């Protein structure tokens, strides 16, 4: 075990040339990031999860009820013992052969059986009230942490000149505000890692899990090798659009359509500007080029930048989804359901016939108007 730990904490991997862990031990004059500080994130992640439960129950739920958001879910499938047994024990998505067999067994037409399975799958989806409570919690946290990050960073020299991220590196002391900011963000992402398995399930579950995993690794990695200054820039920049996203979702659930559309447009503009513009031109520029010039590369430097490039790849993917969804939503008479929609339509065939005849009156399954509902079942079900 001692040999494994010595290999893992090899100074030649983690630190620049001629720097040792002994050089970064805390002294009376200065405090530096220590790997053991990160253990604090686990109990704090549990505390954040408990605060979330209390917030959703005693703050978000009363707000939802005041906005007339009901706890009722999708339409309930009529009871049928045979179909229920197939659904719970065999498959939730029967193929054509099984559908034909069930049709003969029950003397139902295939379309009715397909509709039953769609309604039954939708019964397991959360209600609008549950969605609103989740979005309100995330909105509140994102707004708080982004506001804190801005207030903290505006007092730092590296916000105004990113070269300060690397001057005197890695002998940069850890301040109380920076430590709090980092541990809070890490704790929140750990809580998301675990709560994602109980939260509303969406089709990009794997992508979101990868995002949370990379975020945890990136925060941990940058803290251990004291790249925390540039790390705060990454965190604050990526928090900037999240509150708008959750606010747009809340407006959609409350059926404030004009507000929803406005918030979505604001979210899309901020997201694309920060993720595809400011992040590569400002943050990646300093991590790849300014740091190379001032400090020089070393093994963990390469890993850190690879993680940032992976994050940028995810940013490009989500920006593509946002643009694609927005373009489809504003095209005349061509509003359709997004692949990431939380609720399936009651009948694909019926919806197709309806859209073919009356595309200008298309509605989504949550009852909102076509354009607004389409936008919010798409990127506004996305979490970053």
């Amino acid at each position: 075990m001692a040999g494994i730990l010595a290999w893992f904490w090899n100074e030649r991997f983690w630190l620049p040339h001629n720097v040792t862990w002994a050089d970064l031990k805390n002294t009376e004059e200065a405090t530096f990031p220590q790997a053991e500080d990160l253990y604090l994130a686990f109990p704090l992640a549990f505390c954040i999860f408990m605060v979330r439960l209390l917030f959703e129950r005693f703050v978000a739920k009363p707000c939802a009820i005041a906005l007339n958001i009901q706890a009722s879910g999708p339409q309930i499938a009529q009871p049928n013992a045979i179909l229920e047994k197939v659904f719970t024990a065999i498959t939730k998505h029967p193929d054509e052969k099984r559908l034909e067999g069930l049709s003969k067994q029950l003397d139902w037409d295939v379309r009715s059986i397909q509709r039953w399975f769609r309604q039954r799958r939708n019964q397991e989806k959360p209600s609008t009230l549950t969605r609103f409570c989740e979005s309100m919690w995330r909105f509140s946290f994102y707004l708080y942490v982004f506001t804190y990050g801005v207030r903290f960073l505006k007092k730092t020299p590296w916000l105004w000149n990113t070269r300060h991220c690397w001057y005197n590196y890695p002998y940069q002391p850890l301040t109380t505000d920076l430590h709090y900011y980092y541990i809070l963000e890490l704790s929140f992402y750990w809580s998301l890692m675990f709560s994602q398995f109980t939260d509303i399930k969406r089709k990009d579950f794997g992508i979101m899990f990868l995002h949370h995993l990379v975020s945890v690794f990136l925060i941990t990695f940058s803290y251990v090798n004291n790249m925390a200054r540039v790390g705060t820039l990454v965190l604050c920049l990526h928090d900037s659009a999240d509150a708008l996203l959750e606010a747009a979702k809340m407006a959609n659930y409350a059926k404030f359509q004009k507000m929803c559309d406005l918030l979505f447009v604001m979210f899309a503009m901020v997201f694309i500007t920060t993720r595809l513009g400011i992040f590569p031109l400002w943050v990646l520029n300093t991590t790849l080029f300014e740091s190379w010039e001032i400090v020089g590369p070393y093994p963990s430097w390469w890993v850190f930048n690879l993680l940032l490039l992976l994050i940028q790849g995810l940013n490009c993917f989500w920006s593509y989804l946002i643009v694609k969804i927005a373009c489809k939503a504003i095209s005349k008479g061509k509003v359709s359901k997004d692949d990431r929609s939380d609720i399936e339509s009651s009948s694909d065939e019926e919806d197709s016939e309806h859209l073919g005849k009356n595309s200008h009156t298309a509605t989504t399954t949550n009852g909102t108007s076509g354009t607004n509902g389409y936008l919010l079942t798409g990127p506004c079900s996305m979490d970053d």
Side-chain angles (χ1 to χ4, degrees):
M1 180 61 69
I4 294 175
L5 289 175
W7 170 82
F8 181 81
W9 292 112
N10 190 301
E11 295 166 341
R12 297 288 60 81
F13 170 80
W14 288 97
L15 302 173
H17 186 61
N18 291 330
V19 179
T20 66
W21 292 119
D23 298 330
L24 298 177
K25 287 294 184 182
N26 292 333
T27 65
E28 294 182 359
E29 292 77 22
T31 300
F32 300 103
Q34 306 295 315
E36 54 267 25
D37 298 345
L38 300 175
Y39 291 129
L40 183 60
F42 293 104
L44 284 179
F46 177 76
C47 291
I48 288 175
F49 182 73
M50 297 306 297
V51 169
R52 171 188 172 171
L53 295 180
L54 294 173
F55 179 91
E56 290 184 356
R57 180 177 179 86
F58 296 107
V59 179
K61 187 175 181 179
C63 290
I65 294 173
L67 293 169
N68 295 319
I69 297 175
Q70 303 300 319
S72 58
Q75 182 179 354
I76 304 298
Q78 68 182 80
N80 186 291
I82 295 175
L83 294 181
E84 185 67 26
K85 184 177 180 180
V86 173
F87 182 87
T88 55
I90 303 176
T91 178
K92 297 181 180 180
H93 299 271
D95 56 22
E96 184 177 350
K97 183 178 180 180
R98 191 176 298 277
L99 287 171
E100 291 176 354
L102 291 170
S103 176
K104 294 177 181 178
Q105 184 178 359
L106 296 172
D107 196 24
W108 286 18
D109 60 83
V110 171
R111 179 179 292 185
S112 297
I113 296 175
Q114 288 176 326
R115 184 183 302 114
W116 187 94
F117 273 92
R118 275 188 287 270
Q119 291 175 350
R120 182 63 182 83
R121 288 193 295 267
N122 285 338
Q123 283 180 219
E124 299 186 344
K125 308 289 184 176
S127 66
T128 303
L129 186 143
T130 301
R131 299 163 190 263
F132 180 91
C133 291
E134 178 185 309
S135 290
M136 188 171 180
W137 157 251
R138 295 194 180 201
F139 167 79
S140 301
F141 183 87
Y142 289 140
L143 183 62
Y144 167 74
V145 77
F146 175 66
T147 303
Y148 180 88
V150 170
R151 292 183 60 188
F152 163 66
L153 284 171
K154 71 180 183 180
K155 299 180 291 185
T156 64
W158 60 88
L159 175 66
W160 313 105
N161 182 357
T162 53
R163 297 178 72 87
H164 281 277
C165 293
W166 313 108
Y167 290 152
N168 197 37
Y169 176 83
Y171 305 107
Q172 298 166 340
L174 177 70
T175 65
T176 302
D177 288 342
L178 194 154
H179 178 259
Y180 170 78
Y181 188 33
Y182 243 70
I183 297 299
L184 180 64
E185 289 273 14
L186 181 60
S187 302
F188 180 70
Y189 276 108
W190 271 120
S191 72
L192 287 182
M193 286 277 288
F194 300 125
S195 67
Q196 189 177 8
F197 294 95
T198 58
D199 285 346
I200 298 169
K201 295 293 188 300
R202 298 185 175 94
K203 291 185 179 180
D204 67 342
F205 175 88
I207 295 293
M208 289 307 304
F209 186 79
L210 175 63
H211 171 267
H212 298 334
L213 191 63
V214 172
S215 298
V216 167
F217 276 134
L218 196 56
I219 295 171
T220 302
F221 206 87
S222 59
Y223 187 86
V224 169
N225 65 3
N226 204 14
M227 289 185 178
R229 288 188 176 185
V230 74
T232 58
L233 301 180
V234 176
L235 290 171
C236 192
L237 194 65
H238 280 74
D239 288 336
S240 59
D242 291 337
L244 291 171
L245 173 65
E246 301 302 333
K249 287 202 251 181
M250 288 192 295
N252 177 64
Y253 300 144
K255 298 183 179 179
F256 296 152
Q257 296 179 16
K258 291 184 178 180
M259 182 183 296
C260 165
D261 291 336
L262 175 62
L263 288 168
F264 174 79
V265 171
M266 293 171 61
F267 157 73
M269 292 175 62
V270 172
F271 187 96
I272 293 173
T273 300
T274 55
R275 308 290 179 99
L276 299 188
I278 299 175
F279 182 68
L281 296 177
W282 188 47
V283 175
L284 291 182
N285 176 68
T286 192
T287 61
L288 289 169
F289 303 110
E290 292 180 348
S291 64
W292 182 295
E293 175 187 344
I294 299 172
V295 180
Y298 51 99
S300 68
W301 179 94
W302 291 101
V303 175
F304 180 71
N305 279 288
L306 284 174
L307 290 173
L308 288 178
L309 291 172
L310 180 56
I311 289 287
Q312 182 61 10
L314 294 174
N315 289 340
C316 292
F317 170 74
W318 280 315
S319 297
Y320 163 75
L321 285 183
I322 293 170
V323 172
K324 179 182 176 182
I325 290 169
C327 288
K328 285 186 177 181
I330 63 177
S331 62
K332 296 181 180 179
K334 201 66 176 177
V335 178
S336 60
K337 184 172 71 70
D338 174 50
D339 288 339
R340 300 178 71 256
S341 178
D342 296 312
I343 299 293
E344 300 174 79
S345 61
S346 60
S347 173
D348 292 341
E349 296 83 3
E350 291 172 357
D351 290 347
S352 298
E353 292 170 4
H354 178 72
L355 284 170
K357 296 176 183 177
N358 302 292
S359 59
H360 64 283
T361 59
T363 58
T364 60
T365 54
N366 64 0
T368 54
S369 67
T371 303
N372 181 58
Y374 184 85
L375 292 175
L376 268 295
T377 54
C380 285
S381 63
M382 180 173 61
D383 302 296
D384 176 63

